[in-house]
Amino acid sequence: MARKHWLLALFSIVLTTFLGLPAAVAAPAAPPGAVTKGEDPANGPDRNEIAAGDPAAAVATLAAGENQAGAREGYPRQTRLRVFPEDPSDKSIKLGLVPYHAIAPRLNALQARSDRVSVEIAGRSTLGRDLYLVTLTAPERPWQTRLQDHWRELIENDPVRAARDPLLEREYKVPVWINNNIHGNEWEGTDAALRLIEHLATSNDPKVRRLLAEHRIYFNVTANPDGRVAGTRGNNNGFDLNRDFVTSSQPENVAMREIVERIQPVMMLDEHGYVEGTLIEPTGPPHGQNYDFDLYIRHGLANGLGMEAAVKALGFPEAQNVIIPFRDIPPGEWDGWAPIYTAQYSMFHGAVSYTIEIPLQVNNNAYNTLPVDELRRRAAINTAVSESSMRTTLDYVDLHDGELVDNQIEIFRRGTFGEPQRFIPDGFVPGFGPEDRFTTQFPRAYVIPVGPAQRSAAAAARLVDHLVAHDVRVRQAVRDFRLNGRDYPAGSYLVDLHQPKRALANVMLENGRDVSNDAPVMFDISGWSHRLLWGASVDILASGQLHVPSRPVAAASPTGGVDPAPGRDLAITVRDGKDARAVNDLLGRGLELRRRADATVLVPASARADAIEVANRYGVRFTVAPLGDPGTVLRRPTVAAAVAADELFALRDMGFDVRPVSTATLNAGFDLSRIDTLVVSSGLRVDQLNPAARAALDAYLARGGGVITRGATGSRFNADAGLLQLRAVPGKSDANGTVTVTNAPGVLGGDGLPHSFVFAPQWFTDLGPGVTVEQRYGPGNPLTAGHWLPNDDGTGGRDAAAGQPLVVSGTDERGARVLMFGSEPLFRAHPKGLFAQVANAVYWTGSASCCDSARDAIAPAGPDR
């Protein structure tokens, strides 16, 4: 876009900013109305075989730094970055790449040399390392920056006016985002970015100066600095950050989410490794059904082909067989279905997005076995390939920036006016066919009720806040209203799908789709739903008009409180992870609570002040303690967990005192005498325990120590330890998705959600005496959304699972209480409405051992227990 007419632009900003004339005043009113991938799915056997350690103890949290630039300043926005101590153990050093501690000095030096480069702290990693957002653009005065902000907001908030604005067309600085090193042991994107940053900041080439006069180029230099230093794929919590975008459980993902919302790029790259020959998206099918795919694929494929040509032109033999999944890979092997990846998530914010996989492996076994010279040779080639993808993309944007802005405007316009997705004919771009055609029917709105119709007020508030944080527009009714034959009280929330980012709203709230027949395999999860799995009641309004007096929501209304009058005993039913967090908080204060069989926890009237504090902290509600069953004493349970990293995170998020264990930990003499419940899903094998560890386990079970299992590793532990009599039947190992379930009154509370989540599902048959079914798969076809085919021999399919026990419990002959999950209630910390199932399992299984007189003699209860 040409950079002219700043006088007219200044006049525009005087009207809109200094004279207080909002953009909406002048706006017309809207009408009513099977490639082998170095990129692991991170859900292979390792999730069930390698137990999580204790990441909190791995490295001391680093001191925080702050930005110096104000939010409304112009450019450059320069920050004097704190310099981290030199770390000779940084895994990037061996590869001849830039260690994390050297990045800040390099960026500080560039800021001193050039007024085209700005650096801000976008957030901090789990361990407190700074996340550097670098912006390359020509200098701007504050009023010019405010005008750019105004235009960016206009594109989203009033796309009709934006499309007609001649100043925006000529003067808008088109944004591009390049994200790097989201997997910590895929290093080279960071180094390519640093090279390109220096070139753009210092070059006297007129082409570069013009590029920066007309665009803003944003670099997230390293999205995962903890993983970069440690040489791990995940962050310090063990999470794959490229699977967390619609969950946002990790601080690094929150930072990336805020970047893409703030800058609203028209194009973005996410730099990864390693796929032999190089891989450049667009993906193959299935494609996400909520996208306006016609507005993505034309530019997506064209720039993909351009990057392919540029990579080949580098002349490296190892980078000649470039793979473009849309063109080259069968359906499902590199799909774009799930919204969990950086590239696929960014598309919901209006970007033409790509995952780039550089060619030569330097991580994992290669890192440990190849000579250093060979590793550095490979890393140098990888860096060149990565930089080539960045330079080619900038050239493409420079040539097509007006079309790309129009593209983004049209995405938001269709959403705002609730227009249907367009039919894309075969041959729309070369290779587009019926296998690429995925669309959905957007409902008119979703309603999140408050009051008696809401299953969990805390869960509803969490969902509302989550949607708002993702730039989904939510409104709150100011009066009672009626929709679709149902009455709703004032305070209920509405998500009107006539909004710019309707696709993002819908991908979170819809059921999803069964894609089992659309592809023989899928790369990762194929089913998710915040509406079905996050614990809140959400209604669908399929069609019609919304005439509900309401106000926009910036944050959900407070939900916590204590209903009974002073002097009355209190009760809280554990239906949500927040309820468990509140109970564990109270237990941690040394209060004596009691638990009933229906998962209700009784709190004495004397603890009212504590209850008020935790109610406000976690948004939970205490009601009057019911008459009848006085319950059994509940003490703060101590949990030993041989689990995957995501499960460890979720258990601690609920406030449990968790000690990570594994086969090696037990063999080293871990003391089980102070443990109430042992959770086993990964990294613990009875047949691999030494005699002393096996004796300690037997003693633990003999005193009634509780056991919770999940998955194949858990079922094997049950069999090898001689616990419950049953047969665990595995489903297809890659099957996953949202399933219907029926709940029985019992350990899980009896009023659980009617859906659950499975990955490598199981069910249980041939149940022995005393084994109770807590939850079953739904009848018929239990798969609501996802991908679940039978094995080649016909076994392991969803039809075989229908009606079968999914969660079972029982007490073994020694008195140990055992609960077994065939589902995935803590998967990637996502299905938050299922967390309470695990919490109730912990309370139930641990209650047999917590009151045992021998254990009480060893470890008397106290405030720190």
Side-chain angles (χ1 to χ4, degrees):
M1 292 187 174
R3 296 291 154 247
K4 303 175 182 176
H5 309 289
W6 279 113
L7 186 59
L8 290 174
L10 177 59
F11 175 72
S12 173
I13 199 167
V14 165
L15 290 177
T16 59
T17 302
F18 296 105
L19 297 183
L21 181 63
V25 171
V35 61
T36 300
K37 304 174 183 179
E39 166 94 29
D40 300 319
N43 283 294
D46 61 307
R47 187 167 186 273
N48 295 322
E49 295 172 1
I50 302 173
D54 189 349
V59 183
T61 300
L62 301 164
E66 297 296 335
N67 289 324
Q68 296 173 343
R72 293 186 64 79
E73 290 188 7
Y75 281 89
R77 298 178 175 183
Q78 298 188 332
T79 304
R80 183 161 184 80
L81 304 172
R82 58 175 172 166
V83 176
F84 287 75
E86 185 172 332
D87 183 356
S89 70
D90 189 310
K91 298 294 186 181
S92 60
I93 295 173
K94 182 178 180 179
L95 302 173
L97 301 174
V98 179
Y100 177 78
H101 59 256
I103 296 175
R106 181 174 294 198
L107 294 177
N108 281 335
L110 271 178
Q111 290 182 100
R113 291 174 58 194
S114 173
D115 61 0
R116 309 175 201 167
V117 60
S118 301
V119 185
E120 300 169 81
I121 306 301
R124 293 181 181 87
S125 71
T126 305
L127 288 178
R129 292 186 172 96
D130 293 335
L131 305 175
Y132 306 121
L133 177 63
V134 178
T135 307
L136 274 298
T137 195
E140 299 171 15
R141 295 178 180 177
W143 70 266
Q144 294 171 327
T145 298
R146 288 195 293 273
L147 183 56
Q148 292 296 323
D149 292 344
H150 163 73
W151 280 328
R152 185 182 63 252
E153 293 167 4
L154 193 68
I155 288 170
E156 178 185 349
N157 298 332
D158 193 346
V160 171
R161 185 177 174 207
R164 297 171 179 170
D165 190 326
L167 285 176
L168 185 155
E169 181 181 4
R170 289 191 295 267
E171 312 297 346
Y172 182 52
K173 288 177 124 177
V174 179
V176 180
W177 178 35
I178 300 173
N179 197 52
N180 305 286
N181 200 199
I182 192 171
H183 291 146
N185 62 354
E186 298 166 10
W187 292 272
E188 293 92 338
T190 293
D191 295 78
L194 289 170
R195 288 197 335 201
L196 185 53
I197 288 167
E198 183 165 4
H199 169 70
L200 295 174
T202 61
S203 174
N204 290 319
D205 185 342
K207 180 181 176 182
V208 170
R209 290 185 173 276
R210 183 180 58 79
L211 176 74
L212 299 185
E214 300 180 2
H215 304 82
R216 287 188 190 159
I217 319 300
Y218 298 89
F219 297 85
N220 189 16
V221 177
T222 169
N224 184 3
D226 298 344
R228 182 177 185 83
V229 173
T232 58
R233 176 184 179 88
N235 71 346
N236 191 63
N237 282 332
F239 272 67
D240 185 333
L241 301 178
N242 201 36
R243 304 292 185 275
D244 191 50
F245 274 92
V246 291
T247 306
S248 300
S249 69
Q250 301 304 296
E252 298 91 342
N253 282 95
V254 170
M256 286 181 278
R257 181 193 72 201
E258 291 175 350
I259 288 171
V260 72
E261 288 178 16
R262 169 186 154 191
I263 70 177
Q264 204 169 289
V266 299
M267 192 166 276
M268 74 82 56
L269 304 179
D270 197 30
E271 298 286 337
H272 289 253
Y274 303 92
V275 171
E276 184 177 346
T278 303
L279 180 144
I280 299 169
E281 290 183 347
T283 71
H287 309 291
Q289 65 181 8
N290 286 280
Y291 299 128
D292 286 291
F293 200 66
D294 61 310
L295 298 177
Y296 165 78
I297 190 60
R298 193 182 297 280
H299 288 290
L301 182 58
N303 186 43
L305 294 170
M307 285 188 277
E308 175 188 41
V311 166
K312 288 184 175 182
L314 294 173
F316 299 117
E318 301 93 334
Q320 294 303 305
N321 298 319
V322 177
I323 298 167
I324 296 180
F326 178 81
R327 180 191 65 194
D328 301 328
I329 295 182
E333 292 186 13
W334 197 287
D335 63 85
W337 181 248
I340 56 178
Y341 315 105
T342 321
Q344 280 60 52
Y345 177 78
S346 297
M347 290 169 65
F348 293 111
H349 294 278
V352 175
S353 308
Y354 303 85
T355 299
I356 308 296
E357 298 279 348
I358 50 182
L360 297 175
Q361 187 173 13
V362 296
N363 62 2
N364 301 334
N365 186 58
Y367 187 94
N368 295 320
T369 60
L370 291 178
V372 171
D373 287 348
E374 173 59 14
L375 288 172
R376 293 188 172 190
R377 184 190 74 84
R378 292 184 175 199
I381 292 173
N382 287 336
T383 303
V385 170
S386 181
E387 186 180 5
S388 174
S389 71
M390 299 176 188
R391 287 176 176 264
T392 304
T393 294
L394 294 184
D395 288 343
Y396 186 89
V397 173
D398 191 30
L399 187 62
H400 298 278
D401 53 9
E403 299 166 47
L404 290 165
V405 171
D406 290 345
N407 216 56
Q408 189 176 78
I409 290 172
E410 177 63 8
I411 290 172
F412 295 148
R413 189 197 66 79
R414 291 184 191 176
T416 299
F417 288 85
E419 294 186 2
Q421 294 161 300
R422 304 297 193 261
F423 176 82
I424 306 177
D426 292 354
F428 180 76
V429 295
F432 187 94
E435 71 279 4
D436 295 298
R437 197 172 290 119
F438 288 86
T439 58
T440 192
Q441 185 73 39
F442 292 106
R444 182 64 178 85
Y446 293 95
V447 182
I448 305 172
V450 299
Q454 180 51 251
R455 178 182 179 275
S456 170
R462 176 180 57 221
L463 178 58
V464 167
D465 287 338
H466 187 77
L467 292 168
V468 170
H470 284 262
D471 204 23
V472 171
R473 299 175 186 201
V474 182
R475 299 187 68 85
Q476 188 171 33
V478 297
R479 296 202 301 263
D480 296 350
F481 64 96
R482 184 175 181 84
L483 279 177
N484 204 28
R486 293 194 60 177
D487 293 318
Y488 295 94
S492 295
Y493 301 96
L494 298 103
V495 183
D496 184 354
L497 266 290
H498 288 192
Q499 63 172 287
K501 296 181 181 177
R502 64 167 177 187
L504 182 54
N506 203 51
V507 82
M508 291 186 181
L509 295 175
E510 68 176 351
N511 284 359
R513 172 171 167 175
D514 179 355
V515 293
S516 304
N517 295 324
D518 295 304
V521 296
M522 294 287 282
F523 181 48
D524 204 277
I525 64 165
S526 307
W528 61 90
S529 175
H530 297 65
R531 183 171 66 85
L532 299 181
L533 297 176
W534 273 43
S537 304
V538 183
D539 296 334
I540 303 173
L541 179 67
S543 60
Q545 296 298 317
L546 290 181
H547 300 294
V548 179
S550 60
R551 62 173 183 82
V553 173
S557 299
T559 56
V562 174
D563 294 339
R568 300 290 300 273
D569 288 342
L570 314 176
I572 180 171
T573 301
V574 179
R575 292 192 180 95
D576 190 82
K578 286 180 174 286
D579 299 321
R581 185 67 184 266
V583 168
N584 287 331
D585 191 328
L586 293 175
L587 290 170
R589 301 173 188 219
L591 300 174
E592 182 176 293
L593 310 183
R594 305 183 74 87
R595 183 177 185 273
R596 293 169 41 136
D598 63 358
T600 299
V601 176
L602 308 179
V603 181
S606 59
R608 181 181 181 85
D610 296 283
I612 291 172
E613 184 179 338
V614 301
N616 292 330
R617 179 176 298 171
Y618 305 116
V620 301
R621 199 149 206 98
F622 291 86
T623 58
V624 176
L627 300 175
D629 178 11
T632 58
V633 173
L634 179 63
R635 294 190 184 139
R636 187 185 185 197
T638 302
V639 179
V643 296
D646 53 346
E647 294 169 309
L648 177 63
F649 179 88
L651 285 166
R652 285 179 166 164
D653 187 58
M654 287 188 283
F656 287 108
D657 177 12
V658 187
R659 319 291 170 84
V661 297
S662 63
T663 303
T665 306
L666 268 58
N667 284 338
F670 181 86
D671 183 7
L672 286 168
S673 67
R674 296 176 179 270
I675 298 301
D676 299 303
T677 292
L678 174 63
V679 185
V680 181
S681 67
S682 181
L684 180 53
R685 290 271 299 269
V686 173
D687 62 327
Q688 294 177 0
L689 295 177
N690 61 34
R694 180 58 195 264
L697 176 62
D698 289 340
Y700 169 79
L701 297 171
R703 69 167 172 82
V707 175
I708 299 170
T709 73
R710 191 273 301 163
T713 295
S715 293
R716 177 166 184 166
F717 180 89
N718 174 76
D720 291 351
L723 301 175
L724 301 187
Q725 296 180 40
L726 50 75
R727 183 169 71 94
V729 181
K732 196 169 189 291
S733 62
D734 64 351
N736 71 88
T738 306
V739 295
T740 58
V741 297
T742 58
N743 298 290
V747 174
L748 302 184
D751 64 344
L753 296 176
H755 292 86
S756 189
F757 182 81
V758 296
F759 196 108
Q762 287 192 319
W763 56 94
F764 305 103
T765 62
D766 302 336
L767 306 184
V771 179
T772 300
V773 178
E774 303 289 344
Q775 188 179 83
R776 293 180 181 273
Y777 285 97
N781 174 13
L783 186 68
T784 298
H787 188 273
W788 190 345
L789 295 173
N791 294 307
D792 291 341
D793 63 2
T795 63
R798 55 194 172 179
D799 293 341
Q804 296 291 339
L806 178 59
V807 183
V808 298
S809 67
T811 303
D812 88 336
E813 59 186 15
R814 291 159 291 193
R817 288 183 172 182
V818 181
L819 187 135
M820 302 180 66
F821 286 100
S823 58
E824 283 269 14
L826 304 180
F827 185 79
R828 295 180 184 164
H830 178 74
K832 299 188 186 301
L834 308 181
F835 283 17
Q837 296 181 12
V838 179
N840 284 316
V842 171
Y843 297 141
W844 179 77
T845 56
S847 62
S849 68
C850 79
C851 301
D852 182 87
S853 59
R855 180 184 178 281
D856 288 348
I858 294 171
D864 295 331
R865 293 259 326 119

